[in-house]
Amino acid sequence: MSNTRQQDWDPRDEDVQADQIAAYDAMRHRCPVAFSDYLQWSLLRHADVMRVLEDHETFSNAASRHLSVPNAMDPPEHTRFRRLIEPYFGPQAMGEFAPQCRAIAEDVVDRLPANGEVEAMTAMGQDFALEIQCAFMGWPTSLHEPLRAWVRRQQAATLAGDREALGELAHEFDGVIRDLLASRREAGDAAPDDVTTRIMNETVEGRALADEEIVSILRNWTVGELGTISASIGILMRYLAAHPDMQDRLRADPGLLPAAIDEILRLDAPLMSNRRITTRAVKIGDRHLEAGERLTLLWGSANRDEAVFGDPDEVRLDRDPTDNLLYGAGIHVCPGAPLARMELHDFMDALLDATVDIRPLPGRPAVRARYPAGGYAEVPLHVRR
């Protein structure tokens, strides 16, 4: 396959968008390093993605046009900010948040009907994501509905490719965060001792964080969390509804939940991709890329690579967890993974404890999300408690 700029595929094609996972499975065999105007160079094999994750000198994370702390940074700048951020997701922080996390999970699950229909993405996934993220950040419950409306508008603008609207929405979200910062500064010593206030008072290299850096950190945590946690809930509930044997197994042995959650989300990605940019000429597979080329790492394909996982649709709870790229790998592995794992575990544990049966609704199949979202747009189910 020669390095030409003809389109190897169109990721926006309706056949691809109708079922991204199936399309990526096919593309991984046909053209595992594929060019498109939309995603530039897409990497679909596990080995190629791992190579990029482990070689941050050749494959830079600085692929964003906007400040993104620390997501779009390389060492040594990335290292300084990671050192600042990681304690917020360490064992002590997670232990302190655990009782509130469990209480919110149980409260959301308690809203399920005794015996009836539920749309898992909105009634469960989005509710839980909004409430748990605001609680973790120390944000007021009055933000739940404005943030829900913002997420809807952001998703619509993304699907429409409306860059102007996306820019306005980003500015609007940053304004929400700046208002929260301003209210804490006005409160002075009376400001709540929460994650948002603590981030405001952090220093890096002996200097106070600039407001732009604080806003970027809080934006990345919040926007990313709202999307991936709600997508994960939809994927997990839909999978269990389709596999009653797994429901029964997990109810009988809740200790299997952590491995089951990671494995189910391996085969159906809640976060579809990340970006990188080459710093020098490099060969990937049989494609030659120049410096400055943009790459899309397709988690939704790499985590289903038969060369690593065999049958990608087989849920096995004894796999080597280091092969699973659900939270990335290398120096840019998701710092919030401990929080996400705790949230998903508590929700699923509460869900299985509160229900005796979850099943698909006949004639109403789940509707797949469209790129860049992963998982589902709608997951209609029947639950019995």
Side-chain angles (χ1 to χ4, degrees):
M1 194 178 291
S2 62
N3 182 26
T4 60
R5 288 306 180 100
Q6 81 270 10
Q7 298 281 303
D8 294 313
W9 68 319
D10 181 2
R12 289 168 292 190
D13 185 271
E14 281 302 316
D15 288 340
V16 174
Q17 292 289 1
D19 189 343
Q20 295 180 71
I21 297 297
Y24 298 162
D25 284 350
M27 197 67 190
R28 186 171 58 251
H29 296 283
R30 183 172 75 81
C31 186
V33 182
F35 183 80
S36 67
D37 287 339
Y38 183 44
L39 298 181
Q40 301 294 293
W41 292 102
S42 294
L43 305 188
L44 293 103
R45 287 185 299 213
H46 190 280
D48 293 333
V49 169
M50 281 299 298
R51 177 186 171 191
V52 169
L53 297 177
E54 293 172 346
D55 184 359
H56 54 267
E57 292 183 355
T58 303
F59 305 100
S60 169
N61 238 51
S64 174
R65 299 179 179 86
H66 308 287
L67 179 66
S68 183
V69 182
N71 305 35
M73 292 177 167
D74 295 319
E77 188 178 34
H78 169 267
T79 308
R80 292 193 288 266
F81 281 98
R82 279 291 295 228
R83 194 178 298 128
L84 178 157
I85 284 169
E86 285 178 345
Y88 287 85
F89 305 100
Q92 181 177 340
M94 294 300 93
E96 292 171 357
F97 186 58
Q100 193 174 7
C101 183
R102 180 70 194 195
I104 292 171
E106 291 177 349
D107 183 58
V108 172
V109 167
D110 198 45
R111 299 169 202 166
L112 285 168
N115 185 6
E117 297 180 10
V118 63
E119 200 290 287
M121 282 299 300
T122 53
M124 293 285 104
Q126 290 177 13
D127 277 8
F128 182 64
L130 283 165
E131 294 178 32
I132 204 74
Q133 185 61 17
C134 284
F136 177 71
M137 304 295 284
W139 294 1
T141 57
S142 59
L143 276 178
H144 291 172
E145 292 312 309
L147 283 177
R148 188 195 305 276
W150 184 89
V151 167
R152 287 198 193 103
R153 287 183 287 135
Q154 196 260 356
Q155 289 173 341
T158 300
L159 290 176
D162 189 338
R163 291 186 176 275
E164 182 178 352
L166 286 169
E168 292 171 357
L169 285 162
H171 182 73
E172 178 184 333
F173 195 89
D174 288 358
V176 171
I177 297 176
R178 290 180 188 277
D179 287 345
L180 290 164
L181 303 185
S183 67
R184 282 162 167 72
R185 289 187 176 121
E186 290 171 8
D189 292 341
D193 180 21
D194 57 28
V195 165
T196 299
T197 301
R198 289 173 208 157
I199 283 286
M200 291 172 61
N201 295 321
E202 290 284 3
T203 61
V204 61
E205 295 288 283
R207 66 166 178 83
L209 293 180
D211 268 12
E212 290 76 11
E213 293 167 333
I214 298 169
V215 168
S216 177
I217 291 170
L218 298 181
R219 183 202 314 121
N220 284 338
W221 286 1
T222 306
V223 175
E225 187 84 351
L226 292 178
T228 54
I229 291 297
S230 59
S232 295
I233 296 297
I235 292 166
L236 291 164
M237 290 187 69
R238 184 260 167 202
Y239 185 89
L240 291 184
H243 297 84
D245 55 331
M246 182 60 75
Q247 277 188 63
D248 294 342
R249 185 179 179 189
L250 294 177
R251 285 194 183 94
D253 189 356
L256 297 174
L257 259 177
I261 290 169
D262 278 11
E263 175 71 349
I264 293 166
L265 297 179
R266 173 198 64 76
L267 61 88
D268 203 344
L271 176 66
M272 200 55 79
S273 68
N274 274 133
R275 295 180 295 173
R276 295 292 191 274
I277 188 168
T278 57
T279 62
R280 54 195 174 204
V282 64
K283 184 179 181 182
I284 305 178
D286 55 3
R287 310 303 291 261
H288 294 271
L289 281 61
E290 300 300 325
E293 299 273 15
R294 293 185 172 274
L295 307 177
T296 300
L297 311 184
L298 283 173
W299 310 118
S301 172
N303 249 355
R304 295 175 54 81
D305 192 338
E306 295 84 353
V308 176
F309 301 105
D311 178 358
D313 289 310
E314 181 187 6
V315 168
R316 284 180 40 199
L317 305 187
D318 61 346
R319 293 188 190 276
D320 182 348
T322 61
D323 290 332
N324 192 335
L325 301 178
L326 175 61
Y327 296 102
I331 65 169
H332 293 289
V333 67
C334 177
L339 175 62
R341 283 193 165 107
M342 181 171 71
E343 291 170 349
L344 293 173
H345 174 272
D346 284 357
F347 180 90
M348 296 306 295
D349 192 41
L351 175 73
L352 290 168
D353 186 55
T355 59
V356 295
D357 185 55
I358 307 167
R359 66 182 63 188
L361 278 174
R364 291 181 57 191
V367 178
R368 281 280 180 187
R370 298 169 69 90
Y371 189 89
Y376 297 87
E378 296 177 18
V379 182
L381 300 173
H382 184 276
V383 297
R384 186 162 56 89
R385 302 182 64 177

